[in-house]
Amino acid sequence: MHSDPSDGPDGIRYRKKVPYSFGDTVTAGRWTLDTSTLKSYPADW
């Protein structure tokens, strides 16, 4: 997950990259996201 967008020499870029596995709860700023609620891509996609 990428978070903390800010201005840079090439425009707005994300400053923070947080690796996660499906099912983890990830924190971004004051928010938390339970990744088990995210939809996954179909196997044949």
Side-chain angles (χ1 to χ4, degrees), residues 1-2 5 8 20 22 24-25 27 30 32-33 41 44:
M1 177 175 73
H2 292 88
Y20 69 91
F22 184 76
D24 288 350
T25 299
T27 302
R30 64 179 190 235
T32 57
L33 174 66
Y41 291 106
D44 61 348

Side-chain angles (χ1 to χ4, degrees), residues 5-23:
S6 65
D7 288 321
D10 297 326
I12 296 176
R13 297 286 185 253
Y14 293 104
R15 295 183 299 149
K16 187 174 181 183
K17 180 179 179 183
V18 179
Y20 69 91
S21 296
F22 184 76

